[in-house]
Amino acid sequence: MELIQNTPDLSAYLAADEVVDHDHPVVRETAARLARDVPDSYAYARAAFEFVRDTIPHSQDSGDPRVTWRASDVLRQGTGICYAKAHALAALLRAEDIPTALCYQRLAHDDGDGHAVHGLIAVRFNGAWHRQDPRGNKPGVDAQFSLEGERLAWIPDPESHEVDYPGLYAAPHPAVVEALKAAADRPRLWKLLPTAL
């Protein structure tokens, strides 16, 4: 699949906004701590990915009812669903001047009843975009950081009407942000998740 930037201006994929708030002290402090122990930007990107994937539990997996959506809140509260974790990883990467996009898949619910949009990121190295999924591993999910072929949590199944969206967004999709902001808790968020983009 060819990934498509929704804006040709690469600097847009380094910008801070209300959601990917990499100018926030919590994001800056976390990025600086991760950057201290690595030799280059490739190693930093892997370290940031593994930090978000492994130390911030996916709230569905952990049973945490809190809804986070701003990157700094995800890092401070240590919880979030896929979108929130993608926002946190994007902020950490952009804090170290690594162009990062938000991207999405449409996946079937585990029970087969309907679909939901899933959030992940893409990082730009060597003139190309590479998708990464910091959702968090669990039995049946083994996402890994890779610049040599995708190692995502899920591969969409077209027969189940699942979709890999090719768009690379500089800012989170409005439907995602709207759902996150509107939900008082995670059970309510599940009813508001976008089913398609």
Side-chain angles (χ1 to χ4, degrees):
M1 176 183 68
E2 182 182 352
L3 299 173
I4 302 165
Q5 291 180 209
N6 74 334
T7 176
D9 180 6
L10 197 57
S11 69
Y13 297 93
L14 292 168
D17 59 29
E18 179 188 25
V19 179
V20 183
D21 59 341
H22 64 76
D23 49 0
H24 191 283
V26 169
V27 178
R28 288 290 186 195
E29 290 162 13
T30 305
R33 189 174 70 248
L34 292 169
R36 268 198 308 266
D37 300 326
V38 295
D40 55 34
S41 60
Y42 300 102
Y44 174 81
R46 178 184 301 278
F49 169 84
E50 291 175 353
F51 174 80
V52 173
R53 183 194 65 191
D54 298 342
T55 69
I56 299 172
H58 188 288
S59 56
Q60 173 71 15
D61 296 348
S62 66
D64 193 324
R66 295 175 294 169
V67 175
T68 54
W69 52 271
R70 187 180 286 117
S72 57
D73 292 336
V74 175
L75 296 174
R76 187 170 42 240
Q77 295 182 41
T79 190
I81 68 164
C82 61
Y83 308 132
K85 293 183 67 162
H87 300 162
L89 180 55
L92 289 171
L93 294 170
R94 290 181 184 186
E96 291 294 313
D97 295 320
I98 298 170
T100 306
L102 296 150
C103 41
Y104 303 94
Q105 298 173 318
R106 179 179 191 248
L107 300 172
H109 289 298
D110 290 340
D111 62 7
D113 183 27
H115 293 81
V117 172
H118 173 63
L120 51 158
I121 65 107
V123 62
R124 189 166 178 87
F125 278 116
N126 301 323
W129 290 101
H130 307 273
R131 292 191 306 167
Q132 314 294 331
D133 191 342
R135 178 233 179 267
N137 290 337
K138 62 179 186 174
V141 175
D142 183 28
Q144 301 294 325
F145 183 84
S146 176
L147 303 178
E148 312 268 329
E150 294 184 337
R151 302 275 311 273
L152 304 178
W154 291 284
I155 299 169
D157 175 15
E159 289 187 13
S160 299
H161 306 288
E162 296 182 333
V163 177
D164 256 330
Y165 292 111
L168 297 169
Y169 294 85
H173 195 282
V176 166
V177 176
E178 183 180 313
L180 290 167
K181 286 183 172 183
D185 56 33
R186 188 180 33 77
R188 274 177 256 195
L189 175 59
W190 255 224
K191 297 174 183 168
L192 300 173
L193 293 176
T195 58
L197 295 181

